[in-house]
Amino acid sequence: MKHLWKHLLCTALCLCLLFSSALAEAVDINLHVVADYNDADAVTIRAGQVVGDSLYLLVSGLYSDSDEGQTWLERWTAGMSGPETVLENLLSYRSEDADAAMPVVSRLITDGKSVYGYDDMTGQLVRLVDESGNAKVESLCTLETAEEEKSADGVYYGSYVSAMFVQNGEVVRLAENYGEGETSYVVERYALDTGKLIGRSGADNTLRTLCSYKDGKYLALVQPQPGPEDMELPMSQLAIYDPATGEMNPVATLSGSYLNNVTYDPQSDTAYYCCDATIYTVPLATGESRVSAYLPVNAWSGSDTTFAVLAGGMIVYANGDGAYVRRLDAPELAAGALTIANEGGTQKHMAVVSEHPELNVTLASNYPQTMEELTTAMVSGTGSIDVFSLTTNANPIARLIEKGYAADLSGYPELMAVAGRMDARFTDSVMRDGKLYGLPVSLYTNGMGVNADTMEKLGLTQEDLPTTWLEFLDFAANFHYDYGEENADVALMDLNMRGSLFQMIREQYVAAQLRDTGSISFDTPLFRKLMQALEAIDFTELDPYEVKGDKVWEGNDANEFYEKQQLFTRYAEASPRSMGQSGYGRANQPLILSLDGETEPIIPVSMTVMIVNPRSTRMDQAAAYLTAYAGHYDPETENIMFFPDQNDPVPNSYYKIQKQSYEESLRELDSRIEKADESEKAILRDNREQIQGFLDELETRRMSVTEEMIQAYREQVAPYLYVTPQTPLTNPDASAELDALTSQYLDRAIDLDTYIREMNQRVRMMMLEDM
């Protein structure tokens, strides 16, 4: 008996150790995060699935030809530093030349024991991993999909399979059918072993997604339709869907309206769902949802997303940009996560996420912009926002700093070192008395540009171009007679020229006023002279928008207009990469203009700044995030613009990708030429010669930004950059009133004198009120 007790005790201890080990293995890890879309070796996750404690990922090269077997299956379990490849030579789609023996897998599904691959195009189903975890392709069946029927208007409308899973030996598909302005949902069930259609049932358009549940039923995420008395969308719900009847029985009301993804864990009778970058838990015994984990990205749903529970206390969310495994209800969850606002998941953010998984970072679900919204978001406690990404011209950065709503970052040497290298024009906005209150992270310039190809067509040289806005407006007034009549295939610039020119002139005028006087006044001889020159142009000769207004989009006028070459564009950036004589730079060279011959040129710059909540309980994490973020300034623009000592040429980041694409096209054409009939070979050879020309020309564009381009930027652009602060014209609390006044002027409802008088009065009052 003693031996039996010893044996039972030993067994219990072993089980406890195994259970403790499993819990200890729960980790937070990011896999295959795409941080650089210019990386020719980057991979993308096409599908994922979970079996027990193993995560399976269908992966292929982001830029590789995935119809040549360059898709593979990986497996990851807790304790592994990265996934392992378990199956190679898969296809994500089948081209005409693809090996017929290679299986096509566009999504993964599982019955909890095996992993299956499914081809959306053909309905073919294969087993990829068996119950023992052995990876081997085994053909199963082809789903007997129902033939699409015409709708009442006699048109075939396509359907989209938004969810697919296996339950009780049946393959379940949720198909969204689009037609006649309304979406309908159909739930289809097929036999896993034969592919035979078992049944179809419908659901109303409140259904968002389905997942496997129990008792022959499915778990649904639904969004009830708002009634006429509802001011806001009703809260989303979890419901039990009965495939036999198509009925849905709500079991829980969830936090939020715009939710996505749902999964169910039968071991704990718990459901999980996503809202923005937060994962919520819903124990179905109570129906009450609570935060269970944070994601570093906003979640969305689709055929390439994965959301599932891993054994051992983990959950995974994956999409084409990466896979994110998170511990559920981790001890530090109560302390919250480093929360970033107004950062929509840029490449800089993704790079930080990829390189620093130890930073428990997430994105805020709200996007505070105004002073009131920003200060409200800076509440103390674990629910506050820690870092705010703000733009100088649209957000009250100066007011936040002056009123103590921006943390002093001077105690972080790494950040001070970054700021110390920057051009003072960019740090002036965020420094006070030698202290740093924010980090400049990006720059945006958008102004007048000139197309060198169109210049050449019209016989223009650099000396023929205007150098001031007054000269430009005179050039525009005479363009039709000087060039337009003889060059009907050339346009002066984009549609709605008058409105575009007004906005650009006013933006530069305001920037010059702030730079030179520190205030804004429209009642000046210069502004009147500029507006009178603009009014003197007969735009009906230049712009069909001036004649038809918004109706220009209803016919072919807009299409015919945009078939023309444009001499000027309002969408040119003033950056190092725009100073070239080929490629991007040739089509978008900035045209640097002064307002008149007496004022110095000025180039308004909208700069994005990150500030830290002074009440944040995660100050060191925030500083680490900003420091890592600063390591990923765009090499072609921000790195050179921010740092005067950065003058090294920049290689073309697309070179390797483009070269790889051209070489693959040549190989494909060579194969087709070899097999083609004589009648087809001539066309194929012409195509090959054209692509070979592209490849040869690519060799001249190995560098994206050359030393000459940087020097031209330093001499012609950099001296005139001006970081624009927020003004009443860009403050969302005040701009609507001023925009309405501007619309009246542009619509000729009020004259210039009235516009100037009203603008002056209102802007002065708003600036006194600190708006």
Side-chain angles (χ1 to χ4, degrees), residues 66-300:
S66 55
D67 70 338
E68 293 185 355
Q70 297 184 41
T71 297
W72 59 94
L73 184 69
E74 296 181 344
R75 176 170 52 209
W76 176 88
T77 57
M80 298 174 63
S81 59
E84 61 177 347
T85 300
V86 295
L87 202 57
E88 296 182 304
N89 296 320
L90 303 175
L91 306 177
S92 63
Y93 65 94
R94 188 180 302 283
S95 69
E96 294 180 1
D97 300 325
D99 187 343
M102 290 183 178
V104 175
V105 180
S106 51
R107 68 174 80 208
L108 301 176
I109 56 176
T110 181
D111 57 2
K113 300 175 182 178
S114 300
V115 177
Y116 304 94
Y118 178 72
D119 180 3
D120 277 307
M121 295 298 295
T122 65
Q124 291 182 332
L125 198 65
V126 296
R127 181 183 284 112
L128 301 176
V129 181
D130 64 21
E131 296 182 10
S132 300
N134 300 314
K136 181 182 178 182
V137 177
E138 178 187 351
S139 295
L140 288 180
C141 62
T142 298
L143 299 192
E144 185 185 61
T145 54
E147 184 177 343
E148 290 185 355
E149 298 180 359
K150 288 184 179 180
S151 64
D153 58 1
V155 178
Y156 285 105
Y157 290 97
S159 62
Y160 167 71
V161 177
S162 59
M164 191 168 179
F165 54 91
V166 180
Q167 180 176 304
N168 296 338
E170 297 178 357
V171 178
V172 182
R173 299 197 327 169
L174 172 62
E176 301 178 14
N177 299 300
Y178 308 103
E180 300 183 73
E182 188 171 327
T183 302
S184 62
Y185 295 84
V186 178
V187 180
E188 303 169 337
R189 298 153 51 216
Y190 303 88
L192 176 63
D193 54 351
T194 65
K196 294 293 184 181
L197 179 64
I198 297 173
R200 304 177 84 230
S201 56
D204 61 40
N205 58 7
T206 64
L207 181 60
R208 292 294 171 265
T209 191
L210 286 177
C211 72
S212 179
Y213 184 53
K214 60 183 178 181
D215 302 327
K217 297 180 175 63
Y218 315 135
L219 190 62
L221 178 65
V222 298
Q223 173 69 66
Q225 293 295 311
E229 73 285 351
D230 294 322
M231 298 299 292
E232 297 181 359
L233 283 174
M235 301 295 278
S236 298
Q237 297 174 331
L238 285 180
I240 306 303
Y241 178 89
D242 187 340
T245 63
E247 294 179 353
M248 287 186 287
N249 179 35
V251 293
T253 298
L254 309 179
S255 299
S257 298
Y258 298 100
L259 312 178
N260 56 68
N261 296 289
V262 66
T263 191
Y264 174 71
D265 179 22
Q267 303 300 320
S268 59
D269 191 30
T270 301
Y272 300 88
Y273 67 93
C274 298
C275 180
D276 297 314
T278 304
I279 296 174
Y280 288 85
T281 296
V282 187
L284 293 187
T286 65
E288 297 179 358
S289 59
R290 56 179 170 77
V291 175
S292 193
Y294 294 103
L295 293 169
V297 297
N298 284 319
W300 69 78

Side-chain angles (χ1 to χ4, degrees), residues 425 515 600-601 603 712-722:
R425 282 173 298 182
R515 179 194 64 187
E600 188 177 65
I603 304 172
Y713 164 79
R714 299 277 184 226
E715 295 174 355
Q716 300 171 28
V717 174
Y720 308 117
L721 295 175
Y722 175 76

Side-chain angles (χ1 to χ4, degrees), residues 383-643:
S384 65
I385 295 175
D386 301 287
V387 179
F388 297 82
S389 180
L390 306 171
T391 56
T392 53
N393 65 332
N395 302 121
I397 293 173
R399 291 172 63 197
L400 289 169
I401 294 174
E402 291 160 6
K403 295 181 181 297
Y405 288 105
D408 179 3
L409 303 175
S410 305
Y412 295 95
E414 299 86 357
L415 292 176
M416 289 298 288
V418 174
R421 287 182 54 218
M422 282 188 177
D423 187 320
R425 282 173 298 182
F426 303 127
T427 54
D428 282 348
S429 301
V430 292
M431 296 199 78
R432 302 288 188 274
D433 301 322
K435 293 183 178 181
L436 182 67
Y437 292 93
L439 181 71
V441 294
S442 67
L443 296 166
Y444 175 72
T445 60
N446 184 40
M448 186 62 73
V450 61
N451 188 302
D453 291 330
T454 311
M455 281 178 59
E456 186 176 322
K457 176 180 177 62
L458 297 178
L460 294 170
T461 65
Q462 195 70 34
E463 288 70 29
D464 297 319
L465 296 177
T467 59
T468 72
W469 271 109
L470 288 174
E471 290 179 1
F472 183 95
L473 295 173
D474 182 65
F475 183 96
N478 295 291
F479 178 81
H480 178 69
Y481 302 101
D482 291 344
Y483 304 101
E485 288 182 321
E486 296 180 0
N487 298 274
D489 58 342
V490 174
L492 176 69
M493 56 181 296
D494 314 290
L495 279 175
N496 193 9
M497 299 176 193
R498 187 164 62 94
S500 297
L501 290 172
F502 172 84
Q503 294 294 345
M504 283 190 288
I505 292 170
R506 192 183 70 172
E507 181 183 13
Q508 188 167 329
Y509 173 84
V510 169
Q513 284 262 297
L514 291 169
R515 179 194 64 187
D516 299 338
T517 69
S519 62
I520 302 172
S521 174
F522 294 99
D523 192 4
T524 66
L526 175 57
F527 188 74
R528 289 181 182 276
K529 191 184 300 183
L530 288 164
M531 292 299 100
Q532 288 164 357
L534 180 63
E535 290 178 353
I537 301 172
D538 182 3
F539 285 101
T540 60
E541 298 174 328
L542 306 171
D543 185 359
Y545 185 89
E546 194 71 16
V547 179
K548 296 191 174 183
D550 289 335
K551 290 185 177 180
V552 75
W553 307 106
E554 296 176 3
N556 293 322
D557 298 272
N559 293 333
E560 292 175 1
F561 179 86
Y562 280 112
E563 288 175 358
K564 299 180 179 183
Q565 289 181 255
Q566 294 176 22
L567 178 58
F568 300 109
T569 176
R570 66 163 301 180
Y571 302 109
E573 66 177 28
S575 72
R577 69 178 175 191
S578 66
M579 307 303 292
Q581 297 302 312
S582 64
Y584 180 93
R586 183 173 178 82
N588 297 276
Q589 293 178 27
L591 183 64
I592 311 302
L593 301 171
S594 63
L595 293 167
D596 60 4
E598 299 179 8
T599 60
E600 188 177 65
I602 189 167
I603 304 172
V605 177
S606 173
M607 183 170 72
T608 300
V609 171
M610 282 191 168
I611 68 166
V612 178
N613 181 356
R615 296 173 177 80
S616 172
T617 59
R618 296 172 279 271
M619 194 67 69
D620 290 346
Q621 284 176 270
Y625 176 85
L626 263 61
T627 302
Y629 202 95
H632 295 281
Y633 290 128
D634 185 287
E636 298 177 1
T637 56
E638 297 155 356
N639 212 37
I640 298 170
M641 297 171 77
F642 276 140
F643 305 113

